[in-house]
Amino acid sequence: MKQEIHPDYRKVVFMDTSTGFKFLSGSTRASEETTEWEDGNTYPLIKVEISSDSHPFYTGKQKLADAGGRVDRFKKKYNLK
């Protein structure tokens, strides 16, 4: 790798702003805000709107669309059996 062209990769804490859920991960993103993590170290804090804690797919609150009606309407429209 070429030197001095890649961003610094560091540990950061991501916080879901809708639920307050926090997790530690690696990122090249920087932040002015910091927070103290469970291990006693201080890490940059990145605020996100959606994480696995609040996303409907991961929480089981996602609503599935019924695609069966679409197929039936298509067949009826084009007189298919």
Side-chain angles (χ1 to χ4, degrees):
M1 284 195 310
K2 291 184 178 181
Q3 298 297 320
E4 300 179 14
I5 64 167
H6 300 285
D8 292 332
Y9 187 77
R10 65 184 77 76
K11 288 189 176 189
V12 298
V13 174
F14 288 94
M15 182 178 84
D16 188 329
T17 56
S18 60
T19 63
F21 176 71
K22 295 181 182 179
F23 60 95
L24 182 66
S25 184
S27 178
T28 58
R29 193 147 174 226
S31 175
E32 298 280 329
E33 293 182 76
T34 60
T35 187
E36 188 172 323
W37 189 243
E38 298 163 354
D39 62 3
N41 293 327
T42 302
Y43 297 103
L45 177 67
I46 307 290
K47 294 181 179 179
V48 294
E49 293 179 12
I50 297 176
S51 71
S52 61
D53 193 54
S54 63
H55 194 281
F57 179 79
Y58 297 106
T59 60
K61 297 178 183 175
Q62 182 177 22
K63 296 180 181 177
L64 298 175
D66 182 21
R70 292 183 183 178
V71 173
D72 293 334
R73 284 184 291 175
F74 179 83
K75 287 181 179 181
K76 182 178 178 184
K77 182 177 179 179
Y78 294 104
N79 294 323
L80 300 173
K81 293 182 180 184

